[in-house]
Amino acid sequence: MPTTTMPKVSFETFAGVRIRYADSGNPEDPAVLLTSPWPESLHAFAPMWASLSAHARLFAVDLPGFGASERREDLLSPRAMGDFLVQLISEGGLGTAHLVAPDVGTAAALFAAASRPERIASAIVGTGGAAVPIQLGEPLASWVLDPDVDKYRAMDPRVIVNTAVDTITGGIPDDIRADYLACYDGDRFADSMRYVRTYPEELPVLAGLLPHITVPVTIINGRHDRVVPLANAEFLDERLPTSRLVIIDAGHFVWEEAPAEYASAVIDSITGGWP
């Protein structure tokens, strides 16, 4: 299991929403905004926190409605979340920030890059739904497309989260697992599903914007990702004007399964190693 450095977390209101975040400091370094994967939290970045913070100021957040952050209904879609990210960069004093936004952050980061490229130095995305028509594996495909949402409210969210993170090769520390479970207790998991259930309407809109995004984009995907197949990363790489595709020999949770390789790709993007 990789060595982890648990960042110290705080809560603050940004754009009118109470957000859990971690700030490594180092304001003179390039700012990197990291957004929480799902169904995880900002602690997913713990295995690479030390290596990344040697190169940048890290500002990691649980997105609204995810992790331990407050939910606001009008933000539960990628396009609205993209607007939130732009506001967060401004209110957090991050200047022109690099976005590290895997999983559910992928579409939000790209919407942000399309609307306000002057606020974003680069975007590092991947393992998030992007392809049109939708190409997703289970259980995500059902979470997005199943017409019966109520049955997920009847499920034990601890079983859902444990089943997801049990697929992480090498496992995760008990304290991080406990955080993930706490973050999606009660109705929080079912409520967070509202975000991905907008994919059928919002991903086609994003697809039309991709050729016009001027921000350099690094797309990182696990070669063996069965939840968000590699086709989604390839879809982005084929349409973005300035992009590179980094394929890592890992599954869906590539940031935890291969943190050294993931961090290396991020560092290349934020230090000028690419493009």
Side-chain angles (χ1 to χ4, degrees):
M1 187 179 299
T3 302
T4 59
T5 302
M6 293 285 282
K8 181 180 179 180
V9 299
S10 303
F11 286 85
E12 189 169 334
T13 298
F14 296 101
V17 189
R18 188 170 184 264
I19 297 297
R20 184 171 72 164
Y21 74 98
D23 187 350
S24 70
N26 309 323
E28 69 281 359
D29 290 339
V32 175
L33 172 58
L34 304 100
T35 68
S36 56
W38 182 58
E40 299 183 301
S41 74
L42 59 82
H43 288 303
F45 302 112
M48 68 183 82
W49 191 263
S51 59
L52 289 182
S53 61
H55 298 272
R57 174 192 177 186
L58 306 183
F59 196 94
V61 299
D62 286 341
L63 293 169
F66 296 92
S69 290
E70 181 184 10
R71 182 182 74 251
R72 205 174 78 194
E73 301 297 333
D74 63 315
L75 294 179
L76 291 180
S77 72
R79 187 163 22 177
M81 196 69 80
D83 291 339
F84 169 80
L85 291 177
V86 172
Q87 287 185 270
L88 179 60
I89 289 170
S90 177
E91 294 183 18
L94 302 181
T96 302
H98 300 269
L99 277 178
V100 176
D103 195 65
V104 291
T106 291
L110 293 172
F111 270 116
S115 66
R116 295 296 299 275
E118 74 278 5
R119 302 310 305 265
I120 299 167
S122 72
I124 298 95
V125 299
T127 74
V132 179
I134 286 176
Q135 298 187 51
L136 300 172
E138 294 297 347
L140 183 56
S142 293
W143 295 351
V144 171
L145 301 170
D146 193 332
D148 183 9
V149 181
D150 289 339
K151 71 182 182 184
Y152 296 100
R153 292 192 180 277
M155 295 180 181
D156 183 349
R158 296 177 62 87
V159 173
I160 296 173
V161 174
N162 273 323
T163 299
V165 300
D166 279 346
T167 66
I168 298 174
T169 301
I172 57 174
D174 290 343
D175 51 353
I176 291 181
R177 180 187 291 268
D179 181 74
Y180 296 167
L181 294 172
C183 284
Y184 296 98
D185 199 16
D187 287 335
R188 281 188 60 86
F189 178 80
D191 287 339
S192 67
M193 289 177 63
R194 298 179 190 181
Y195 179 93
V196 298
R197 292 180 69 80
T198 68
Y199 281 4
E201 295 76 34
E202 297 227 330
L203 292 186
V205 176
L206 178 61
L209 296 174
L210 294 176
H212 309 290
I213 292 177
T214 57
V215 170
V217 180
T218 294
I219 309 149
I220 306 174
N221 223 91
R223 186 182 306 278
H224 311 295
D225 190 340
R226 298 179 181 177
V227 178
V228 182
L230 192 56
N232 291 272
E234 294 169 340
F235 182 90
L236 294 176
D237 192 42
E238 289 166 2
R239 289 161 177 79
L240 288 162
T242 307
S243 66
R244 63 166 180 157
L245 176 56
V246 178
I247 301 173
I248 295 176
D249 194 25
H252 177 68
F253 298 97
V254 58
W255 46 88
E256 285 165 302
E257 292 188 20
E261 294 92 333
Y262 195 99
S264 177
V266 172
I267 292 166
D268 278 348
S269 294
I270 67 178
T271 61
W274 182 88

